Amino acid sequence: MNPGVELRDYNREAWNRQVAKGDRWTLPVGPEVIAAARRGEWSVVLTPRKPVPRAWFGDLTAKDVLGLASAGGQQGPVLAAAGARVTVFDNSPSQLDQDRKVAEREGLSIRLVEGDMRDLSVFADESFDLIFHPCSNSFVDDVRPVWREAFRVLRPGGVLLSGLSNPVTFLFDPELEKQGVLQLKYRMPYSDLTSLTDEERRRYTDAGEPLCVAHSLEDQLGGQLEVGFLLAGFYEDKHVEGDRLSEYLPGLFFGTRALKPSKGGAP
């Protein structure tokens, strides 16, 4: 089987299971969050903890925004309540249902589309003003098609906001990390499909957890530049509280703001 197809199909069902388990990234925002967003008081995250700078969005009023692999009833409804015309695109039907529930509860208009983040052929060229893509591209085997498709569906002058995972987080022995010991075990290129033994992989598959791929910074940052984006913003973020590696390396996740040049060539 094609490893990319196998990973996509497995992760679709894995994220459906995460919804049933109540994973933190599957919990829809409450009415109070939507009410505040309608008053102009809102924030969203691309990475685990740090809010995205509001200046990175500009005025969202009537802008066409694509939530790329960002379902779960969290960011999309907030951006819709802030005035954007939002489309949420995701691989997991159950995650999309979380956005549907918030939209119906709050009277928000959100378009929901199921699909593979590497293939946005359902959308015409230059369909969106802004793409919001949180830390999710580690759930596909190749990130470069994500950047190509994002560039294509953005209008000239459009903005891509992305959350990226530092590949170093995948290289340590996870069992020793639980004991507070940081010991290198794996090498790049890293994939849960090919770098782990069957027994190691069962740590995740037996629990119904998604499988991941560690994309190099060349593929994540260089890949954006290669398709024509101009990087205009960058920040680092830590993991959740209690993560041992975060005590030594705060940049376990990155937020990037990239611009598609206007027709004249300038941002």
Side-chain angles (χ1 to χ4, degrees):
M1 179 181 289
N2 183 315
V5 174
E6 181 180 11
L7 185 63
R8 180 203 167 185
D9 291 347
Y10 172 84
N11 279 339
R12 180 194 295 112
E13 297 308 316
W15 275 106
N16 289 344
R17 288 189 289 267
Q18 293 305 299
V19 172
K21 291 168 60 176
D23 177 85
R24 65 175 293 209
W25 299 115
T26 73
L27 301 177
V29 296
E32 72 284 355
V33 174
I34 298 301
R38 284 176 163 141
R39 297 193 302 269
E41 303 165 7
W42 58 273
S43 66
V44 289
V45 294
L46 286 165
T47 55
R49 302 172 63 179
K50 187 177 293 186
V52 182
R54 283 284 294 271
W56 281 21
F57 293 91
D59 183 6
L60 285 177
T61 305
K63 281 188 176 178
D64 292 307
V65 172
L66 174 64
L68 180 56
S70 70
Q74 298 181 4
Q75 301 101 353
V78 169
L79 298 178
R85 293 190 294 260
V86 174
T87 298
V88 177
F89 185 91
D90 201 272
N91 189 38
S92 164
S94 294
Q95 279 282 73
L96 288 167
D97 280 342
Q98 302 300 74
D99 288 272
R100 181 178 291 107
K101 291 174 183 176
V102 180
E104 291 175 351
R105 186 190 73 208
E106 302 294 339
L108 297 170
S109 177
I110 301 177
R111 182 186 179 193
L112 305 174
V113 183
E114 181 185 340
D116 182 340
M117 70 181 85
R118 299 165 298 178
D119 179 7
L120 303 181
S121 56
V122 67
F123 305 121
D125 294 356
E126 302 181 4
S127 294
F128 298 99
D129 301 297
L130 184 143
I131 295 176
F132 189 89
H133 178 51
C135 281
S136 53
N137 60 51
S138 58
F139 302 121
V140 294
D141 66 322
D142 185 1
V143 70
R144 287 185 180 255
V146 178
W147 308 137
R148 289 195 294 269
E149 283 289 85
F151 192 86
R152 180 184 65 79
V153 302
L154 271 176
R155 294 173 180 133
V159 176
L160 168 67
L161 306 182
S162 302
L164 311 176
S165 297
N166 189 330
V168 73
T169 61
F170 294 89
L171 306 185
F172 292 87
D173 186 324
E175 295 303 310
L176 291 179
E177 278 193 82
K178 294 175 183 177
Q179 305 170 34
V181 177
L182 296 175
Q183 180 171 308
L184 287 168
K185 183 175 183 178
Y186 305 107
R187 297 176 181 271
M188 290 290 290
Y190 174 89
S191 167
D192 285 345
L193 284 178
T194 58
S195 300
L196 303 180
T197 65
D198 290 343
E199 181 179 356
E200 288 173 328
R201 195 177 305 107
R202 282 197 294 271
R203 288 196 299 253
Y204 308 111
T205 56
D206 286 355
E209 296 181 3
L211 296 178
C212 296
V213 174
H215 301 299
S216 69
L217 294 181
E218 183 174 339
D219 284 342
Q220 294 190 88
L221 297 174
Q224 293 186 45
L225 296 171
E226 184 178 80
V227 300
F229 281 113
L230 303 176
L231 286 178
F234 182 91
Y235 64 81
E236 296 180 329
D237 197 9
K238 296 182 178 182
H239 209 301
V240 294
E241 289 290 346
D243 178 74
R244 181 70 167 157
L245 186 56
S246 289
E247 298 176 17
Y248 295 89
L249 181 64
L252 297 185
F253 297 90
F254 311 116
T256 61
R257 182 175 188 263
L259 307 178
K260 179 175 180 175
S262 63
K263 293 292 188 182

Short mmCIF file of all heavy atoms in Angstrom, two decimals, residues 33-67:
data_model
loop_
_atom_site.label_atom_id
_atom_site.label_comp_id
_atom_site.label_asym_id
_atom_site.label_seq_id
_atom_site.Cartn_x
_atom_site.Cartn_y
_atom_site.Cartn_z
N VAL A 33 -16.82 32.00 24.57
CA VAL A 33 -15.71 32.30 23.66
C VAL A 33 -16.23 32.94 22.39
O VAL A 33 -15.65 33.91 21.87
CB VAL A 33 -14.91 31.01 23.35
CG1 VAL A 33 -13.85 31.28 22.29
CG2 VAL A 33 -14.28 30.46 24.62
N ILE A 34 -17.32 32.43 21.87
CA ILE A 34 -17.91 32.99 20.65
C ILE A 34 -18.48 34.39 20.92
O ILE A 34 -18.31 35.31 20.10
CB ILE A 34 -19.01 32.06 20.10
CG1 ILE A 34 -18.41 30.69 19.74
CG2 ILE A 34 -19.70 32.69 18.89
CD1 ILE A 34 -17.32 30.74 18.72
N ALA A 35 -19.12 34.58 22.07
CA ALA A 35 -19.65 35.89 22.42
C ALA A 35 -18.52 36.92 22.50
O ALA A 35 -18.66 38.06 22.01
CB ALA A 35 -20.42 35.82 23.73
N ALA A 36 -17.39 36.54 23.09
CA ALA A 36 -16.25 37.45 23.19
C ALA A 36 -15.68 37.75 21.81
O ALA A 36 -15.32 38.90 21.52
CB ALA A 36 -15.18 36.84 24.09
N ALA A 37 -15.60 36.74 20.94
CA ALA A 37 -15.08 36.96 19.59
C ALA A 37 -15.95 37.95 18.83
O ALA A 37 -15.44 38.78 18.06
CB ALA A 37 -14.98 35.64 18.84
N ARG A 38 -17.24 37.87 19.03
CA ARG A 38 -18.14 38.81 18.36
C ARG A 38 -17.93 40.23 18.86
O ARG A 38 -18.23 41.19 18.15
CB ARG A 38 -19.59 38.36 18.57
CG ARG A 38 -19.98 37.17 17.68
CD ARG A 38 -21.38 36.68 17.95
NE ARG A 38 -21.87 35.84 16.85
CZ ARG A 38 -22.60 34.74 17.02
NH1 ARG A 38 -22.94 34.33 18.25
NH2 ARG A 38 -22.99 34.05 15.97
N ARG A 39 -17.41 40.38 20.07
CA ARG A 39 -17.09 41.71 20.60
C ARG A 39 -15.68 42.14 20.20
O ARG A 39 -15.24 43.23 20.59
CB ARG A 39 -17.19 41.69 22.13
CG ARG A 39 -18.56 41.39 22.71
CD ARG A 39 -18.59 41.72 24.20
NE ARG A 39 -17.60 40.97 24.96
CZ ARG A 39 -17.82 39.79 25.54
NH1 ARG A 39 -19.02 39.22 25.43
NH2 ARG A 39 -16.86 39.19 26.23
N GLY A 40 -14.99 41.30 19.48
CA GLY A 40 -13.62 41.62 19.08
C GLY A 40 -12.57 41.16 20.05
O GLY A 40 -11.40 41.52 19.93
N GLU A 41 -12.96 40.34 21.03
CA GLU A 41 -12.03 39.85 22.05
C GLU A 41 -11.77 38.36 21.78
O GLU A 41 -12.55 37.50 22.17
CB GLU A 41 -12.62 40.03 23.45
CG GLU A 41 -12.99 41.48 23.76
CD GLU A 41 -13.88 41.60 24.99
OE1 GLU A 41 -14.11 40.57 25.67
OE2 GLU A 41 -14.38 42.71 25.25
N TRP A 42 -10.68 38.03 21.10
CA TRP A 42 -10.44 36.65 20.74
C TRP A 42 -8.96 36.39 20.53
O TRP A 42 -8.17 37.31 20.31
CB TRP A 42 -11.20 36.27 19.48
CG TRP A 42 -10.89 37.11 18.27
CD1 TRP A 42 -11.48 38.30 17.91
CD2 TRP A 42 -9.87 36.86 17.29
NE1 TRP A 42 -10.91 38.79 16.75
CE2 TRP A 42 -9.93 37.92 16.35
CE3 TRP A 42 -8.95 35.84 17.09
CZ2 TRP A 42 -9.07 38.00 15.26
CZ3 TRP A 42 -8.10 35.90 16.00
CH2 TRP A 42 -8.18 36.97 15.10
N SER A 43 -8.59 35.13 20.63
CA SER A 43 -7.25 34.67 20.28
C SER A 43 -7.36 33.20 19.89
O SER A 43 -8.28 32.49 20.31
CB SER A 43 -6.26 34.84 21.44
OG SER A 43 -6.61 33.99 22.52
N VAL A 44 -6.44 32.74 19.06
CA VAL A 44 -6.37 31.34 18.64
C VAL A 44 -4.91 30.93 18.62
O VAL A 44 -4.01 31.78 18.64
CB VAL A 44 -7.00 31.12 17.24
CG1 VAL A 44 -8.51 31.25 17.29
CG2 VAL A 44 -6.42 32.08 16.22
N VAL A 45 -4.66 29.61 18.58
CA VAL A 45 -3.29 29.12 18.61
C VAL A 45 -2.99 28.28 17.37
O VAL A 45 -3.84 27.54 16.88
CB VAL A 45 -3.01 28.29 19.87
CG1 VAL A 45 -3.07 29.15 21.12
CG2 VAL A 45 -3.95 27.10 19.98
N LEU A 46 -1.78 28.43 16.88
CA LEU A 46 -1.24 27.55 15.84
C LEU A 46 -0.41 26.44 16.45
O LEU A 46 -0.23 25.38 15.86
CB LEU A 46 -0.33 28.35 14.90
CG LEU A 46 -0.96 29.29 13.89
CD1 LEU A 46 0.08 30.24 13.33
CD2 LEU A 46 -1.64 28.52 12.76
N THR A 47 0.12 26.71 17.64
CA THR A 47 1.01 25.82 18.38
C THR A 47 0.38 25.56 19.74
O THR A 47 -0.66 26.13 20.05
CB THR A 47 2.40 26.48 18.50
OG1 THR A 47 2.24 27.78 19.09
CG2 THR A 47 3.07 26.62 17.14
N PRO A 48 0.96 24.72 20.59
CA PRO A 48 0.24 24.31 21.80
C PRO A 48 -0.17 25.42 22.75
O PRO A 48 -1.24 25.34 23.37
CB PRO A 48 1.24 23.36 22.48
CG PRO A 48 2.00 22.76 21.37
CD PRO A 48 2.17 23.88 20.38
N ARG A 49 0.64 26.49 22.90
CA ARG A 49 0.37 27.40 24.00
C ARG A 49 0.27 28.87 23.61
O ARG A 49 -0.56 29.59 24.16
CB ARG A 49 1.48 27.24 25.06
CG ARG A 49 1.60 25.83 25.60
CD ARG A 49 2.82 25.64 26.49
NE ARG A 49 2.77 26.46 27.68
CZ ARG A 49 3.72 26.45 28.62
NH1 ARG A 49 4.77 25.68 28.49
NH2 ARG A 49 3.61 27.20 29.69
N LYS A 50 1.11 29.36 22.74
CA LYS A 50 1.24 30.79 22.51
C LYS A 50 0.19 31.30 21.53
O LYS A 50 0.10 30.80 20.40
CB LYS A 50 2.64 31.12 21.98
CG LYS A 50 2.94 32.60 21.87
CD LYS A 50 4.36 32.84 21.39
CE LYS A 50 5.38 32.39 22.41
NZ LYS A 50 6.77 32.75 22.01
N PRO A 51 -0.61 32.30 21.90
CA PRO A 51 -1.58 32.86 20.95
C PRO A 51 -0.89 33.49 19.75
O PRO A 51 0.19 34.08 19.86
CB PRO A 51 -2.32 33.93 21.78
CG PRO A 51 -2.09 33.55 23.20
CD PRO A 51 -0.72 32.93 23.24
N VAL A 52 -1.52 33.38 18.59
CA VAL A 52 -1.00 34.01 17.38
C VAL A 52 -1.15 35.52 17.52
O VAL A 52 -2.20 36.01 17.93
CB VAL A 52 -1.78 33.52 16.14
CG1 VAL A 52 -1.20 34.14 14.88
CG2 VAL A 52 -1.75 32.00 16.06
N PRO A 53 -0.12 36.30 17.18
CA PRO A 53 -0.26 37.76 17.25
C PRO A 53 -1.45 38.24 16.41
O PRO A 53 -1.61 37.84 15.26
CB PRO A 53 1.07 38.27 16.67
CG PRO A 53 2.03 37.14 16.90
CD PRO A 53 1.23 35.88 16.76
N ARG A 54 -2.29 39.07 17.00
CA ARG A 54 -3.46 39.56 16.28
C ARG A 54 -3.08 40.31 15.01
O ARG A 54 -3.82 40.28 14.01
CB ARG A 54 -4.30 40.45 17.21
CG ARG A 54 -5.14 39.68 18.22
CD ARG A 54 -6.36 39.06 17.59
NE ARG A 54 -7.30 40.02 17.10
CZ ARG A 54 -8.28 40.56 17.83
NH1 ARG A 54 -8.46 40.17 19.10
NH2 ARG A 54 -9.10 41.44 17.32
N ALA A 55 -1.94 40.98 15.04
CA ALA A 55 -1.51 41.73 13.86
C ALA A 55 -1.26 40.82 12.67
O ALA A 55 -1.29 41.28 11.52
CB ALA A 55 -0.24 42.53 14.17
N TRP A 56 -1.04 39.54 12.89
CA TRP A 56 -0.80 38.61 11.79
C TRP A 56 -2.05 38.39 10.94
O TRP A 56 -1.96 37.96 9.80
CB TRP A 56 -0.33 37.27 12.33
CG TRP A 56 1.12 37.24 12.70
CD1 TRP A 56 1.92 38.31 12.98
CD2 TRP A 56 1.95 36.08 12.83
NE1 TRP A 56 3.19 37.89 13.29
CE2 TRP A 56 3.24 36.53 13.21
CE3 TRP A 56 1.73 34.72 12.69
CZ2 TRP A 56 4.29 35.65 13.42
CZ3 TRP A 56 2.78 33.83 12.90
CH2 TRP A 56 4.06 34.31 13.26
N PHE A 57 -3.23 38.67 11.50
CA PHE A 57 -4.47 38.43 10.78
C PHE A 57 -4.93 39.63 9.96
O PHE A 57 -5.54 39.46 8.90
CB PHE A 57 -5.59 38.07 11.77
CG PHE A 57 -5.41 36.77 12.46
CD1 PHE A 57 -4.74 36.70 13.67
CD2 PHE A 57 -5.89 35.58 11.92
CE1 PHE A 57 -4.56 35.50 14.34
CE2 PHE A 57 -5.72 34.37 12.56
CZ PHE A 57 -5.06 34.34 13.78
N GLY A 58 -4.67 40.84 10.45
CA GLY A 58 -5.28 42.00 9.84
C GLY A 58 -6.77 42.01 10.13
O GLY A 58 -7.26 41.31 11.02
N ASP A 59 -7.51 42.80 9.39
CA ASP A 59 -8.96 42.88 9.55
C ASP A 59 -9.60 41.65 8.89
O ASP A 59 -9.47 41.44 7.69
CB ASP A 59 -9.48 44.16 8.91
CG ASP A 59 -10.98 44.34 9.10
OD1 ASP A 59 -11.60 43.54 9.83
OD2 ASP A 59 -11.53 45.30 8.53
N LEU A 60 -10.31 40.86 9.68
CA LEU A 60 -10.92 39.64 9.17
C LEU A 60 -12.29 39.86 8.55
O LEU A 60 -12.84 38.94 7.93
CB LEU A 60 -11.06 38.61 10.30
CG LEU A 60 -9.78 37.90 10.75
CD1 LEU A 60 -10.09 36.96 11.92
CD2 LEU A 60 -9.14 37.13 9.61
N THR A 61 -12.83 41.02 8.67
CA THR A 61 -14.18 41.27 8.20
C THR A 61 -14.34 40.89 6.73
O THR A 61 -13.66 41.43 5.85
CB THR A 61 -14.58 42.74 8.40
OG1 THR A 61 -14.40 43.09 9.78
CG2 THR A 61 -16.02 42.97 8.01
N ALA A 62 -15.23 39.95 6.48
CA ALA A 62 -15.59 39.50 5.12
C ALA A 62 -14.42 38.89 4.36
O ALA A 62 -14.50 38.73 3.14
CB ALA A 62 -16.19 40.65 4.31
N LYS A 63 -13.36 38.51 5.05
CA LYS A 63 -12.27 37.82 4.38
C LYS A 63 -12.59 36.33 4.25
O LYS A 63 -13.22 35.74 5.13
CB LYS A 63 -10.96 37.98 5.16
CG LYS A 63 -10.28 39.32 4.94
CD LYS A 63 -8.90 39.34 5.58
CE LYS A 63 -8.18 40.65 5.27
NZ LYS A 63 -6.85 40.70 5.94
N ASP A 64 -12.15 35.73 3.16
CA ASP A 64 -12.32 34.29 2.95
C ASP A 64 -11.14 33.57 3.60
O ASP A 64 -9.99 33.71 3.18
CB ASP A 64 -12.38 33.97 1.46
CG ASP A 64 -13.64 34.51 0.82
OD1 ASP A 64 -14.72 34.21 1.32
OD2 ASP A 64 -13.52 35.25 -0.19
N VAL A 65 -11.44 32.79 4.64
CA VAL A 65 -10.42 32.13 5.44
C VAL A 65 -10.58 30.61 5.32
O VAL A 65 -11.69 30.09 5.45
CB VAL A 65 -10.51 32.55 6.92
CG1 VAL A 65 -9.57 31.71 7.79
CG2 VAL A 65 -10.20 34.03 7.07
N LEU A 66 -9.47 29.93 5.08
CA LEU A 66 -9.46 28.48 5.05
C LEU A 66 -8.76 27.96 6.29
O LEU A 66 -7.59 28.25 6.53
CB LEU A 66 -8.71 27.98 3.80
CG LEU A 66 -8.49 26.46 3.71
CD1 LEU A 66 -9.83 25.72 3.62
CD2 LEU A 66 -7.60 26.11 2.52
N GLY A 67 -9.49 27.18 7.11
CA GLY A 67 -8.89 26.47 8.22
C GLY A 67 -8.39 25.14 7.70
O GLY A 67 -9.17 24.22 7.48
#
